[in-house]
Amino acid sequence: MADAGSPPGHRCGHVAIVGRPNVGKSTLLNHLVGEKVSITSKKAQTTRHRVTGILTTGDAQFVFVDTPGIQSKHASRLNERMNRSATRSFDDVDAIVLVIEAGRTTGADRTVIRLFPAGARVIVALNKIDRLADRGALLPQMAELATLFPFAAIVPVSAEKEHGLAQLRDAVRALLPLAAAAYGEDEITDRDERFLAAEFIREKIFRLLGEEVPYAATVAIDRFVQEGALRRIHATVYVDRDNQKAILLGHGGAQMKEIATRARADMERLFGGPVFLEVWVKVKRGWANDDTLLTRFGY
Ligand SMILES: Nc1nc2c(ncn2[C@@H]2O[C@H](COP(=O)(O)OP(=O)(O)OP(=O)(O)O)[C@@H](O)[C@H]2O)c(=O)[nH]1
Ligand SMILES: [Mg+2]
């Protein structure tokens, strides 16, 4: 909904948050917006979809677009779709925030930089400065980055500790076009509760399980109905193999119960009301390489 009441000088635009996996893109989006709209974990390739997070201030509206980490290992058709969804964002936005880990620019970061179209307006967020023992490493890293692309700004931040976020916001605002707000001021994402519910379940799988099952799992919402304040949600987790189903369920279903309990707590916090959640686990062999299934699962 356009806001005709935006003051003169108001800016509004789309800002893609991109980078290699695990640098803190989704954490940054959440802390810029002040709500958890995008899932995060210690594991690479947590984010699989584009997710917007909307920040409305007095003089600007930022439509941040979180993207999957860009990587060169095409392990599956799913990975290809994730990369495509990230790189497609370059053309659809007014500005790009490239997230790189403070203190180390890797080959994978350089690969992302080479993908930027000429003329792209890019700001680097050097993230996780709270983990940097030697701040002296920042200056040479910034100098070297400046030789790789004509970045509009390079801003050291800690997404998690919320350091440098005001400076980052100001730098991004300067790149946005003069425009009225595109969304109402209480809107925080373009994704619906159904999508967010599936993502919260997927996040707990990423956080609670080892190195195999998270990458073999996807979540579908079979039923989402609102009865007064209560949301009644039925979900299915699909995995690739029988043994993964056994791991996901755990002894007597205890693992799945823990995943569902934690996911439900996140849903209740964001949706602002009670949630009844039931989760089933099914095996769907080869889903991550099956284009028909990938489309059906929303990738
Ligand atoms: N110490 C520290 N850790 C951070 C910071 N920002 C993110 N992290 C951690 O880095 C890990 C990855 O964060 P995500 O936000 O999931 O990273 P991502 O870039 O979205 O990862 P993908 O979606 O997999 O590409 C998580 O364990 C975060 O808690 C930060 O500023 N400081
Ligand atoms: Mg992410």
Side-chain angles (χ1 to χ4, degrees), residues 18-23 25 44 68-73 83 87 90 98-101 104-116 145 148:
V18 307
R20 69 175 168 85
N22 213 36
V23 287
K25 299 177 293 299
I70 295 169
Q71 42 88 46
S72 47
K73 289 179 288 230
N83 262 6
T87 52
F90 297 166
L98 167 66
V99 184
I100 291 179
E101 243 178 67
R104 70 190 182 112
T105 307
T106 69
D109 298 318
R110 290 167 212 276
T111 303
V112 176
I113 292 170
R114 279 195 291 272
L115 296 173
F116 291 143
L145 280 168
L148 300 179

Side-chain angles (χ1 to χ4, degrees), residues 28-56:
L28 180 61
L29 176 102
N30 291 340
H31 285 270
L32 283 166
V33 171
E35 294 277 358
K36 177 167 162 174
V37 292
S38 195
I39 65 168
T40 67
S41 87
K42 287 195 172 69
K43 297 188 176 75
Q45 296 192 269
T46 303
T47 303
R48 291 180 185 164
H49 307 268
R50 295 205 288 180
V51 183
T52 70
I54 303 159
L55 170 66
T56 304

